[in-house]
Structures are given as structure tokens and as C-alpha cells.
Amino acid sequence: MKGYWHFPAISAAVCAVTVMTQTYWFAVAFIVWLLLLYGFKRLGMLPIVVSLTVFFLFYTYIPVISDVEIEPEATADSASYTGKIIGSFNKTDKKIGFVLQDHTSKTNLLVVYFPDKDDNEWVHHIQTWKHGATCEVYGKIEQPTRSTNPGQFDYRRYLQTKGIMYQINMKSMEDISCSGSGTLAGVYDLRQKLIHHVKRLVGKETAAWLTALVIGDDSSIDEDTIDLFQRWGLSHILAISGLHVGLIVSIVYFLFIKCNLLTKEKAQWVMIIFLPFYALIAGGEPSVWRACVMLMLFIILNKLKVQFGSTDVLSIVFLLLMLADKYMVYHVGFQFSFLVTFGILLSRHWLSYTSSPLLQMLQISFVAQMIIFPLQVVYFYMFHPLSIILNLLVIPYFTLFVIPFMFFLLLLSPILGAMTSVADIFFTKIHHLFLSLLHGIDTYFYHPLTVGSISVVGALLYFILFLLFMNRLQQKRHWHSLLLGCLTVCLIIGVTIKPYFNPVGSVTMLDIGQGDAFVIELPYRKGVFMVDAGAKASFDNKDNADQNYRQMMKPYFMSRGITTIDAIFLSHEDFDHVGSVPYLIDELNVKYVIVSAYYPLTEQEITNWQENGTDVQQIEAGETTEMAGQVFSALSPFTKQDSPNDNSLVLYTEFGGLTWLFTGDIGQDVEQQLIRAYPDLNVDVLKVAHHGSKTSSDSAFLSAIDPVYGLISVGRHNLYGHPSPEITERLAENDIYVFRSDQDGAVVFRFHEDKGTFLKFLP
């Protein structure tokens, strides 16, 4: 099997894709490929048998992640659950918790506590939350929240990929008692003590980077910086990987050998013991385990005088980690880490053609960024070609300065004494300058390629083209590699412009809670419009005003590859209808904001919008506006009303052979005005006014316009009791089929020409 271990590894990867997508033609294609290699005498029988064995082994081993609803009786009452803590507890600014494996069901439960700002009671309790501790928790078991919009982060699925099906939200520290500990408790305690030691040792900023790059805890790095690194595809810098492991092993090995503390043979045994210990101290992320296990395997093989290639070792480690944790394959870090390492190993001959360190670094950056393109699109919906060049600046800075500085600062702090604070100030000033440079580049050069989504077939075709391209490049068959490179670029462009060839349009009622947000996409991406863009705000302030945009709207636009909105129609000025507009205008190309003649625009709003290239139009009742061939008619307000709700801009238009009426928050008086002004008004789809409030949807109005479908945008368990039972009953009496965002999640109407279908996001 020497030199052929990548075949079982590829088999395991194909099996993972088969299980994750529930698409079996991958497996069929892989088996046919193996048989063809055997038929052409390119592969022996042993690798084929091992590969097929690995496939069927992992097919029964890797769990299928499905959206299983919890049994109602399981959530009926609070109860006590007893089990052991797995791993260590996690703490953020808002919550603390740990994973408990229930003794009875062997189910993993996420135990979570949300402390108040002035609540310090948890500080004493968490000292007993040790790995392997036996805990009794009293609470109500429930399923984690799931995504209710396309593109939105699915917290439930995320936990399921870690083997966690349910969670318990504790109301008080009196609901838990823990005792004892497990074998690894000391290691996890040491990690926490090390983090606390670092925070006492140096300033806040240096401590954040030291704990991230040495101990694997990036929770203290500010969100803006993490977001900056994610946008530019630099997240690998924040993850402990081969570079970090290689550096710390070199330091420890140097100290043992050069200081004559141990012989070379004994130092190697110490490394074999030290590496898994460091992997746990560093957080146990897949990239850390990959680097540590690979190095351990190389040392062991060297001691056994067995020569294995790097690709073989990587493949064996890949299989070992998958066997160690059946959920490992779902981990994003696992996927990125192995794919990048595999790509670099396959390109090692091409990398050896040049002796220039700068050119080699550019080549490595190119391979690393291009090999993960499909995953980058799947998880982040975008790709930034300039990130390849930016890595030339970032990687040397972190490799030659930041990471070594962090390790030496931690190891030498007992010797440095007071000089530690000097080193801290030195690093902070240098790092401030570097981050300022990155933010400047981000401000002026951040123009990512928003791809939207890529199909499994598209991803597979991309990998085939790119691997063939790299193969021909290494063989110095430059014309062939140029042709394959052009085909790869054409595929990326094709995936990006795919919406402009799609004859299907859509109208989407996003589920943003208690607020309105409708997105209209015309066929062939001729135009994208919004009717309202609400936000969530607390009663005392608007600190969470961008929550709806960040968590619901932006992911939706990214997943659809939308970067331009032709017009946003705002019904009225209430925050639950317009609160997300500033964020949309700031981050997307919004051409127009269209409001009624009685919308209270401020000079500041108009100035801010126009500075971002957004023009403002006011439209009166009886007027129409046409954009991209789509006609919108304003039916109201006729005159200025006493309340913002009654001043709502009422829009009438047509999609997919159906007539639509968007009513904002109008009340029954305005509804009466509408049927008097437009006695022949007939509507197929009604946006039920004011979230189903009993102040709207008058019986006479419903009878007059005679809608077939009703859309109610409303928040779950809202304080207003929307939609009113009286209104839902009235809609039913008028044979109106109702879609509700609180029950159905996002509701999408997909249409082609004059036919369309409504689809619920939630089953």
C-alpha cells in the first residue's frame, strides 16, 4: 500500500460527500474510476479492496444529519438529567455552558446558562464543571433554534454536526450540581490557568493574540478583526496549524538537544508524548490534531526505519481522525485544513521549480486559495481573488514576527520580568500599524466576487479542472495548463453569472421576526427590489438594530449572489419596516429608495443615502413607476393621515400571473378608502396589513378584493398578540390560504412566466 494510501483517503472523502448530500452517483463514479484504473493496469487489487472496504466502513459510521423534530412529550415538563461532562466548559460574553452526555440515553445535551450582568454566582459553580465530572441538571430539554431563512446560519444543524441534538437552558445555578472529574480534567484546567496567566501577564490586545495563536482561544479578538480576516480568506492565520506546531516543536527540541538535557532519541519520545498534550492545550481543533498526528507519525516511522511519503502520511492521518470522531468530517476546519495541505503536497514539484522565497510563497498562496474555492463559496458565498496577493503580506508578517514573538514572549516571560511589559508595548504598536494597514486595504480594495452558491456537480467539475490544471503545470505542459486554467476561470464566471440566465423569478417574504422584509427577484436577474426592510430593536435602545440585517438579510443576499438592489420601497417610517435600510445602503449597491409623498424624510437621511449613490424618489397615489420592465402602482396614501401606519405606501403589481397588494400597516379606514377609490380592485396575493392586527383586514375589504393567498409577516411569541385570532378566523372564513412567517419561516413564490408556486422554508 506504500504510495497508494491516498486512494483509501479519497474513498473516505467520497463516502462523506455521499452521506452528507445523500447523492449516490459519487460512489458509483468512484467505483467505476477504480475499475478503470485496474483495467488499464494503473492500480493493483489491494488498493482497490482497501478503498472499497474503507468506503463501506465509513458509510455505516458517518452519521446523517437530518432535521429531526423533538418529540412533543419530551418537552412537556422540566426534569432532572444526570450525565458526565464531555470536554471543557465554554464561556462567552453572553453565556456559559458545556456538553453533558446523559447516562440513560447516551445523548449529548448542551447545557447553557445566560447570566445577568450583575450575576457573579456562576463564577464559583464553574470550578466544579470539569471534564468527566458527574452532573445532575434540572431543566427543560428542547431543540436548539434552527434557520428560518435561506442562507441563514443554522444553529441546530451546527450542533448536530457535533453530535448534540438537544439543549437545556438553566434558569439558575441552583439547577445544577457537579462532582468528580475525568482523566483529562487536569489538562483542561491547565489550559484555563494558562489563559488566565496570559491575561495577567500582558495587556488586553497582546493577550488576545497570544491566547489565539498559542493556546487556540480566539474569543478575545474583537469581532471586527475576525470579520476582516474572514472576508479576506485569512482565517487560517487565526487557527493553530502546522506552522505553529512546527515552531513550538522546534523550540522545545532545540532546548532539549542544544542544552544537553536529552539525547536525540529520548527527545523524540518526549515529542511523541508532548504533541497530543499540546493538541489538547491548544483547543483540540482539527488543524492542530492534523499537524500533531502527522509529526508524531513521521517520528514513529523514522524510528521504525519505514519510509512513507508525505501524501501517504496525510492520508493515514485523515483516516485516523475520521475514525476518532464520526462527526469530524462535518467540521469546517477539518475540511479546509486537509484540503489545503493535500493541495500543497500535490503541488510540491511545481513549488520546487523556483528558488525565490517570494515566488514560492505566492505559489503556495495561489494553491491554498484556489483549492478551497468551492468550500469558500459553500460556506461564505464569495471569493476574493486579491486574497492570494494579500497573503504575501500577511503570512510573512505572522510567520516571521507575530507567531514566534508570541511563543517566545510566553516561554521567556519568567526571565524577562519587567521587560515583558516593554515587549508588550512594542508588539501592540507594531500590530496596530499592521492592522491599520489591513483595514485600509479593506476599505479601498475590498471588491469580492459574490458567487452565491455552487452545486455539487459544479464543485466536482471545478476540482477536476483545477487538479488537471496543476498536473499539467507540474509537467511543464504550459499550453495544456493554460487551456485548463481558462476553463477553470470560465467555470467560476459561469457559476457567478448563473442567475442572469435563470428564467425563474421569485418573491420572498423573509422571516425577520416582528417586521416586514420582502425581496423580489425578476427572471434573468433583470431587477431586484425590496418592499420594506425592518429591524429588531429593544425597548430602551437600538443596539441590536443590525441583527436582522446581519443574521437574516445579508446571508440571504449573499446566498443568492445579490450585490445590487434596484429599489427599496418603504411603506412608512416605523422601525420594524425601515430599520435595516442604513445597513443595506452601506453594504450593497442600492439605486433608489422610493417612499410616499408623506414619508418624513430628513435632510441627514437624504444626504447619507446620496453619498452612497442612492437616489430618493417620492411617489403619490395614482402614480406608477417602472423599473426593469416591472410596473409598481401606488394606490395610497391619498392625503396625509394622522398616524404613520395609515400613511403607509400601498403598492399593487403583478408577478407570475398573480396580482399582489403590499399594504404596510394600514388600518380599516384606509382599507375603506381603497375599495371606494378602486371598486374593481381584485387581488390574488394580499400582504395582510399590520402583521395581522385586528385594526386591519376588515371583512368588507377582504370581500371586495377577494384574495386567494394571504401573507402575514409576524414574530414568534410577539408581545402584541399578532396575528389576532379574530383576523385569522376572518381570513379563513373568506377562504384565504394564509402563510405566516412565524410558522412557515421564509415563504418563497417562485414563478416562470405566468405560473408560480409558493414554498415554505420550514416543513
Side-chain angles (χ1 to χ4, degrees):
M1 281 294 292
K2 184 179 177 181
Y4 292 96
W5 277 101
H6 58 283
F7 283 100
I10 294 172
S11 178
V14 170
C15 177
V17 173
T18 301
V19 172
M20 293 164 71
T21 63
Q22 291 294 286
T23 305
Y24 294 92
W25 62 266
F26 290 103
V28 174
F30 176 70
I31 293 172
V32 170
W33 178 55
L34 290 179
L35 294 177
L36 286 174
L37 289 175
Y38 178 75
F40 287 104
K41 298 182 179 180
R42 300 286 300 275
L43 193 64
M45 181 58 69
L46 180 60
I48 292 177
V49 172
V50 173
S51 297
L52 293 178
T53 302
V54 166
F55 180 90
F56 290 110
L57 170 66
F58 282 111
Y59 184 76
T60 59
Y61 182 66
I62 299 173
V64 177
I65 304 299
S66 59
D67 189 28
V68 180
E69 291 295 329
I70 192 171
E71 294 295 329
E73 58 269 19
T75 62
D77 299 301
S78 296
S80 292
Y81 299 89
T82 304
K84 284 191 174 183
I85 295 179
I86 301 175
S88 60
F89 75 89
N90 298 308
K91 177 184 176 296
T92 66
D93 293 337
K94 296 181 179 179
K95 66 180 181 180
I96 53 177
F98 57 84
V99 179
L100 185 78
Q101 187 176 68
D102 184 60
H103 280 328
T104 305
S105 63
K106 300 302 179 183
T107 302
N108 291 342
L109 307 173
L110 179 64
V111 180
V112 182
Y113 178 64
F114 297 88
D116 295 329
K117 292 182 179 179
D118 301 325
D119 179 13
N120 294 318
E121 183 183 359
W122 58 270
V123 176
H124 305 290
H125 284 77
I126 63 173
Q127 295 177 5
T128 62
W129 296 3
K130 299 179 182 295
H131 174 271
T134 300
C135 297
E136 183 178 359
V137 182
Y138 181 81
K140 186 177 180 180
I141 190 172
E142 56 187 28
Q143 277 194 307
T145 56
R146 58 163 298 176
S147 65
T148 60
N149 294 286
Q152 184 181 353
F153 174 69
D154 196 329
Y155 184 58
R156 180 185 299 181
R157 180 178 177 82
Y158 168 75
L159 290 181
Q160 287 178 352
T161 61
K162 296 180 175 295
I164 303 169
M165 294 295 293
Y166 310 114
Q167 70 179 25
I168 300 175
N169 293 332
M170 293 191 303
K171 295 181 179 180
S172 168
M173 280 295 167
E174 296 178 357
D175 294 336
I176 183 173
S177 62
C178 298
S179 61
S181 62
T183 308
L184 298 178
V187 179
Y188 289 114
D189 284 346
L190 178 60
R191 182 172 190 264
Q192 292 300 322
K193 290 177 181 178
L194 197 55
I195 292 173
H196 291 312
H197 169 70
V198 168
K199 291 180 178 179
R200 292 192 301 268
L201 180 69
V202 290
K204 183 178 180 181
E205 184 170 344
T206 304
W209 287 97
L210 201 157
T211 54
L213 298 175
V214 178
I215 313 175
D217 179 13
D218 62 2
S219 61
S220 297
I221 298 179
D222 66 89
E223 292 185 6
D224 288 342
T225 302
I226 290 179
D227 185 52
L228 174 68
F229 276 63
Q230 288 178 343
R231 287 201 305 273
W232 283 92
L234 302 172
S235 297
H236 59 91
I237 298 294
L238 304 179
I240 295 179
S241 58
L243 174 63
H244 308 68
V245 173
L247 182 61
I248 192 170
V249 166
S250 299
I251 293 172
V252 175
Y253 196 73
F254 174 83
L255 291 175
F256 283 148
I257 301 301
K258 295 301 179 181
C259 296
N260 293 319
L261 298 176
L262 294 173
T263 63
K264 183 180 293 185
E265 289 73 17
K266 289 182 179 179
Q268 289 176 345
W269 283 114
V270 170
M271 286 296 100
I272 293 174
I273 298 171
F274 169 75
L275 285 169
F277 173 76
Y278 176 68
L280 291 172
I281 290 291
E285 290 297 307
S287 58
V288 186
W289 280 114
R290 176 194 57 76
C292 289
V293 176
M294 279 190 72
L295 192 51
M296 289 169 59
L297 198 52
F298 273 121
I299 294 174
I300 293 171
L301 290 173
N302 183 58
K303 282 186 167 296
L304 297 174
K305 301 188 184 313
V306 177
Q307 296 295 321
F308 266 55
S310 300
T311 305
D312 276 349
V313 172
L314 179 69
S315 300
I316 293 171
V317 172
F318 179 79
L319 295 170
L320 289 175
L321 291 185
M322 285 185 65
L323 281 172
D325 182 357
K326 61 183 179 180
Y327 290 99
M328 180 70 76
V329 72
Y330 288 101
H331 198 293
V332 179
F334 175 82
Q335 298 169 11
F336 275 86
S337 177
F338 274 95
L339 195 56
V340 169
T341 307
F342 184 65
I344 292 173
L345 287 179
L346 289 182
S347 308
R348 60 186 180 274
H349 294 304
W350 179 56
L351 298 175
S352 66
Y353 293 159
T354 178
S355 57
S356 169
L358 182 63
L359 186 56
Q360 275 193 346
M361 195 171 297
L362 179 61
Q363 290 174 317
I364 292 172
S365 178
F366 171 77
V367 173
Q369 293 295 318
M370 296 305 294
I371 195 75
I372 63 172
F373 169 77
L375 290 185
Q376 188 82 15
V377 173
V378 167
Y379 291 114
F380 305 110
Y381 309 118
M382 64 180 181
F383 173 73
H384 206 309
L386 287 180
S387 63
I388 297 171
I389 299 175
L390 188 60
N391 270 279
L392 292 180
L393 172 67
V394 176
I395 291 179
Y397 171 72
F398 275 87
T399 303
L400 302 177
F401 173 63
V402 178
I403 296 174
F405 192 91
M406 294 294 99
F407 275 105
F408 282 112
L409 182 61
L410 180 62
L411 293 174
L412 300 179
S413 57
I415 302 173
L416 293 174
M419 290 297 294
T420 303
S421 59
V422 176
D424 179 14
I425 295 171
F426 170 75
F427 171 77
T428 301
K429 289 188 177 297
I430 296 295
H431 204 56
H432 269 164
L433 291 174
F434 180 80
L435 291 179
S436 297
L437 175 61
L438 280 188
H439 281 289
I441 293 172
D442 182 63
T443 301
Y444 294 104
F445 297 100
Y446 184 66
H447 302 289
L449 188 66
T450 304
V451 180
S453 61
I454 185 171
S455 66
V456 177
V457 175
L460 181 63
L461 183 58
Y462 174 86
F463 280 126
I464 292 173
L465 287 173
F466 182 70
L467 291 176
L468 287 174
F469 163 75
M470 292 304 303
N471 177 263
R472 297 300 186 272
L473 203 59
Q474 291 193 129
Q475 294 176 0
K476 297 187 177 181
R477 298 167 66 178
H478 296 127
W479 283 109
H480 285 151
S481 61
L482 178 62
L483 175 61
L484 288 165
C486 290
L487 289 175
T488 305
V489 172
C490 288
L491 176 62
I492 294 174
I493 295 173
V495 171
T496 305
I497 65 175
K498 179 177 60 177
Y500 297 91
F501 295 91
N502 187 356
V504 178
S506 65
V507 182
T508 304
M509 175 175 69
L510 292 176
D511 174 22
I512 65 166
Q514 190 68 13
D516 278 12
F518 290 81
V519 183
I520 300 162
E521 301 171 57
L522 297 183
Y524 303 105
R525 194 52 63 80
K526 290 181 179 178
V528 177
F529 309 97
M530 285 196 75
V531 179
D532 283 336
K536 176 183 179 181
S538 59
F539 287 102
D540 53 345
N541 59 64
K542 296 182 179 180
D543 289 343
N544 298 321
D546 67 338
Q547 181 177 327
N548 282 359
Y549 173 72
R550 286 187 297 102
Q551 298 180 0
M552 301 162 193
M553 294 182 195
K554 184 177 180 179
Y556 176 81
F557 290 128
M558 297 285 285
S559 69
R560 301 290 297 167
I562 295 173
T563 57
T564 297
I565 299 177
D566 292 270
I568 303 177
F569 294 89
L570 301 180
S571 61
H572 61 297
E573 65 268 29
D574 282 357
F575 201 71
D576 60 335
H577 290 255
V578 303
S580 294
V581 172
Y583 312 108
L584 287 163
I585 290 177
D586 186 52
E587 295 198 14
L588 299 179
N589 176 26
V590 179
K591 295 181 180 179
Y592 292 96
V593 169
I594 301 177
V595 297
S596 78
Y598 307 108
Y599 187 99
L601 288 167
T602 65
E603 289 296 328
Q604 187 64 45
E605 277 181 326
I606 296 174
T607 301
N608 290 342
W609 294 350
Q610 289 180 342
E611 286 177 352
N612 282 279
T614 302
D615 291 327
V616 182
Q617 287 186 2
Q618 290 185 304
I619 187 171
E620 296 183 355
E623 292 185 347
T624 61
T625 181
E626 182 178 346
M627 292 186 176
Q630 185 67 37
V631 178
F632 296 90
S633 301
L635 305 188
S636 183
F638 303 98
T639 59
K640 186 174 182 180
Q641 303 294 316
D642 294 333
S643 72
N645 288 346
D646 286 340
N647 275 327
S648 292
L649 176 65
V650 177
L651 290 174
Y652 177 88
T653 189
E654 183 178 346
F655 304 107
L658 301 180
T659 53
W660 296 65
L661 191 68
F662 296 92
T663 58
D665 281 353
I666 62 172
Q668 294 180 2
D669 289 342
V670 177
E671 291 175 345
Q672 292 300 316
Q673 294 176 20
L674 284 171
I675 59 179
R676 285 196 298 268
Y678 309 99
D680 297 326
L681 180 63
N682 190 268
V683 174
D684 295 310
V685 185
L686 170 68
K687 200 293 290 189
V688 178
H690 204 176
H691 321 291
S693 168
K694 62 182 179 181
T695 60
S696 308
S697 304
D698 181 70
S699 295
F701 177 68
L702 296 178
S703 298
I705 65 173
D706 192 25
V708 180
Y709 304 99
L711 303 178
I712 304 179
S713 185
V714 63
R716 291 166 186 78
H717 313 297
N718 63 86
L719 300 175
Y720 311 99
H722 295 162
S724 167
E726 178 183 336
I727 297 303
T728 56
E729 184 178 341
R730 187 178 299 166
L731 293 169
E733 289 173 352
N734 283 270
D735 295 324
I736 301 172
Y737 190 93
V738 174
F739 295 96
R740 295 171 46 169
S741 60
D742 62 333
Q743 295 179 351
D744 304 321
V747 177
V748 183
F749 176 72
R750 299 200 186 283
F751 63 92
H752 178 244
E753 295 181 350
D754 61 349
K755 294 182 180 180
T757 305
F758 281 97
L759 302 170
K760 303 176 183 180
F761 189 79
L762 296 180

